[in-house]
Amino acid sequence: MRIARLAFGACIAMCALALPCAAQTPASFQQSGMLTGGGRYVVRHDPASLVAAIDLWFRAPGAGYDLQYPGISRLAVTAIAASSVEHGTPVSELVRRYGGTLTIEAYPDIVMIGASVPANRAASVLRALTTAFFSPQITTSGFKAAQRDAAVAAAESAFEPARVMQDALFAEVFTAGPAHYPATPSTVADLTKIPQDAVSAFATRAFSRANAVLTLAGAVDASMLPRAGVGASGTASPPIDSTVATAPSQTTKNGSEPGLGYAWIGPPILDAKAATAMDFIADYLFDPDHGTVAAAVAHDTPDAYVEGQFITLHDPGVLLASVSGGSSQVLERQVLGAVAAMQQPMNAQRFEAARAAFEYHILRQTQRPSERADVFGWYTVEGNPAYAPGDASGTYLQAAESLDPQYVASIARKYLSGPFTVKLFAAPSKGRAA
Amino acid sequence: MIRLSALVFALLFGAALPASALTIVRQPDPAANLVGTEVVLRAGLDRQTPAQNGLSALVAQAILQTPVGSSKQPLESAVAALGGSVTYAIEPRSVRFYLEGVPKTFDQALALFRQALGSPDFSYRSLAAARTALNERSRQNDRLALNVGIAMLNRAFYQNSDAGMPAYGLPATLANFDTADASRFFADHYRRGEAVISAVGNLGALSGEPYATLLDALPQGASQAVALHEPSLPSTTRELIARRDIPVPWLVAQYPAPKLGTRDFAAMLVLSSFLERTLGDVAQVPSVATRSFAQRGVGALYNFDAQPANVIVYVDGGLGDPSRTFATALTIVNVLGHAKLGGDLSEMKALAIGQFVDQTTTLESKAWLGGVFAEAAVPGDYAGATLKQIESVTAADLQHVAAKYLGAPTIALVLPRAQRTQ
């Protein structure tokens, strides 16, 4: 899940830290600031890259400004990408012709579109994206294409255990606001009932220059940034938070397969050290390839799969852990027992090894231009751009380097007790609505 | 003496070298946060006899489990504790080790790898653990219909060697190998000759030149492939069938393909990417956002790193009747082979360029490409050269390549266990 990659984060410029590459990574590779006429930008130049990643991020509620239409932000961004602007070629078709990839992601409080294209196509695609999204227009054919795409996404999401679990947990953790609703509904009916005029109105409000965060990475440079005059400036939205439940809950639901889900409310993005400690805990316990809980479950219950992440949100962040393919008490004990054990300081040698591995995982997860553009976009719209892994300030890696066993244990004691719990039971197939 | 001069040559030009020499290629990237190094040794599947199937993987896996450093942790864990990783892949001719890590400790990671190569642990206990790991890896591979299909096709494709045998062996064959077998295979085939080291990332942040001596623990000279002379079985069909626990049937086809470094290489890049796009257009609902590899269900893979090279075309039956989609692909290939395309080829070339550069976005894939092009004796800026070659492909080139290579494929059908073929 894209959000998972973002939540772990990374650091690229480590100038203030002990890592030798810090001295080799000049801050001149990165530029950031305000776009002429409104909006923010971050440009990360990679001289060795043959690929340009171009992202546009917007703060916008996934269920709409009146929370009436879950899925409307996905529908809107997809419709614009598929609509011809002033008889031109739709963004989606342009990227396809250039041999690139187009990514669209909707989250409860954010929606983004990103293109990854060969270097010589970067300027053209950037122009097309900003033209389309700074003056949004939705054609009938674009809207239909978006409905078709969103319907496929909805059908697929119903069979992604981690997505289903996250939606179920968020519905419990957040009692009101956009995070209470799934960013992509799991039924086609929920999407097709959204009228085109509602989508157009949403797009006009959400997609403006002032509300945009433009992130470029790879074979790009600041000279490519759009000049003034393209699109209306609009209004920048503040970070969009949702209402947190007053006490943890335990819920059971039907799913496509049995599963367990846990959520703990964590620190806000501005508490960088605490948020990084939560990232560390998630990596140490739940990384699907290396996490201690993931490994133990793989050994004891080969058909079960564990993953977890700290989702770095404006306020508050949320640590999620999910088990798919099983919901036994043994699995329950493995997850909760490991989380409880984090409340005691780790052995110093083991901690050093785990932190080194954590920093490496973060760097590895954010090496592609598209991944770099993603982290800049995510952390900027959530409200702490300097904390973006890879930001020239090196804030993220400084926070990681400052962790010690006692501090991590104190964060576990502060945040990791009494989780929200969702238990999924496999539903009979004929009962599914999708 | 030869090694040193070859090394200097490689450092200066990133070039491929005489067959007996160690080759070092470097792709420095000062903006990268990590360093990656691929070590390619001629100790792959074609070094095995039929009775040794799985031995190449067993040796490589045991190396990852070799105790190293003062803590005597397994190499894999010791590198992870430094902030890095070490993995391997078994290929028809070679074993590829890939190390990656943060620059501040990467020298140490390389030293641990060198130590493991110097005294690999092939004890009974180590081999038992390696067998367990390989059996799990095979089990995971067997769950993916595309992997099963490709494995079947490779068995038929490589006729004069063991290169088409299962990369990670079979439980029954792995159970037979002991310390002496692993030690002998290691001694015979882990050689410096023809080895390739492909280094990528923030190389300037390393404290010294770690590569010149990285393989010093291995003996000089080259390993020899095992030549098999098995008579071909008479057959009137080019179809292979397997059954697995999968929900829908898959069709996987394999064609021979031009070798990397030949004139036809770029035309096949264009043709295979066009084939993938066309299959997607025929088989799938059009999409606005790009489908990921896992979401696609149809595709074409040009394995230009393999020797001989080949193209794989696959269709997931979950999208409908796979034979109908594949028939469309065959028709397209036939048309391309018998008539020169008119009009502008720029969109076809753009597709190929997009797919090629997309393979250069991680250090691991860059290291792999650097190694593959070095093995094929393609010197210098391989990426720039490839993009130029793609740009110069003509309609006549496409017709020639389609007619020459994309004639009669061998087809593998991977069916759900309960389904009948007729």
Side-chain angles (χ1 to χ4, degrees), chain A residues 12 19-21 24 44 46 48 51 78 92 96-97 99 101-102 148-149 156 303 353 356 360 363-364 367-368 372, chain B residues 29-31 33 81 83-85 100 104 202 277 281 285-290 295 347 350 354 357 361-364:
Chain A
I12 286 165
L19 300 183
C21 61
Q24 306 289 326
R44 163 72 192 204
D46 177 356
V51 171
T78 310
S92 59
R96 179 183 145 94
R97 275 187 203 167
T101 57
L102 188 73
R148 192 178 56 220
D149 240 41
E156 287 176 349
D303 289 335
Y360 166 65
L363 296 172
R364 183 170 167 78
Q367 56 178 312
R368 290 184 169 93
R372 289 180 173 178
Chain B
D29 179 357
N33 300 302
S85 61
E100 190 176 80
K104 72 173 173 180
N202 199 346
R277 171 64 58 86
D281 289 348
V285 176
S287 66
V288 178
T290 309
Q295 290 172 322
E347 195 169 327
V357 299
T361 54
T362 66
L363 291 186
E364 185 168 1

Side-chain angles (χ1 to χ4, degrees), chain B residues 117-373:
Chain B
L117 286 183
S119 53
D121 180 6
F122 298 133
S123 63
Y124 175 83
R125 189 175 168 184
S126 174
L127 294 184
R131 270 186 212 104
T132 304
L134 290 177
N135 288 339
E136 175 58 20
R137 201 161 169 168
S138 294
R139 196 177 72 91
Q140 296 293 342
N141 268 350
D142 225 28
R143 294 171 122 175
L144 301 172
L146 180 57
N147 285 351
V148 173
I150 291 174
M152 290 161 64
L153 291 166
N154 281 343
R155 290 283 295 274
F157 188 70
Y158 297 100
Q159 293 184 338
N160 298 319
S161 75
D162 212 25
M165 296 297 282
Y168 302 103
L170 298 168
T173 59
L174 291 172
N176 293 327
F177 304 132
D178 59 17
T179 300
D181 295 319
S183 301
R184 195 175 309 119
F185 186 88
F186 181 82
D188 289 346
H189 302 299
Y190 275 61
R191 301 287 183 126
R192 252 183 282 166
E194 295 187 274
V196 175
I197 296 175
S198 177
V200 294
N202 199 346
L203 301 175
L206 298 180
S207 57
E209 163 48 57
Y211 297 115
T213 57
L214 182 61
L215 302 183
D216 274 1
L218 303 182
Q220 298 271 20
S223 89
Q224 299 298 317
V226 175
L228 299 181
H229 302 287
E230 292 182 1
S232 301
L233 292 172
S235 172
T236 55
T237 178
R238 296 177 71 88
E239 285 187 2
L240 308 164
I241 296 173
R243 295 179 185 280
R244 292 292 187 276
D245 291 324
I246 53 173
V248 294
W250 278 63
L251 189 155
V252 189
Q254 188 174 44
Y255 299 90
K259 189 179 169 185
L260 176 59
T262 62
R263 177 171 167 70
D264 291 343
F265 165 65
M268 184 55 94
L269 283 175
V270 174
L271 210 50
S272 57
S273 57
F274 175 72
L275 205 51
E276 172 158 298
R277 171 64 58 86
T278 307
L279 282 168
D281 289 348
V282 171
Q284 299 178 144
V285 176
S287 66
V288 178
T290 309
R291 290 181 207 278
S292 67
F293 178 78
Q295 290 172 322
R296 272 205 291 272
V298 293
L301 309 168
Y302 177 13
N303 298 309
F304 54 78
D305 58 315
Q307 293 189 24
N310 58 78
V311 167
I312 297 284
V313 174
Y314 63 92
V315 183
D316 170 0
L319 301 169
D321 181 357
S323 56
R324 187 172 302 170
T325 304
F326 186 65
T328 308
L330 285 179
T331 306
I332 293 165
V333 165
N334 272 332
V335 170
L336 288 170
H338 289 92
K340 197 161 83 173
L341 281 177
D344 186 11
L345 299 181
S346 59
E347 195 169 327
M348 290 175 76
K349 293 177 186 178
L351 282 179
I353 288 171
Q355 282 200 348
F356 185 79
V357 299
D358 195 46
Q359 294 181 69
T360 65
T361 54
T362 66
L363 291 186
E364 185 168 1
S365 57
K366 281 174 84 168
W368 173 76
L369 280 172
V372 166
F373 277 80

Side-chain angles (χ1 to χ4, degrees), chain B residues 34-56:
Chain B
L34 299 171
V35 183
T37 300
E38 184 178 80
V39 175
V40 188
L41 300 168
R42 291 271 190 265
L45 298 175
D46 68 356
R47 267 56 185 171
Q48 303 172 155
T49 65
Q52 289 178 319
N53 178 234
L55 189 52
S56 170

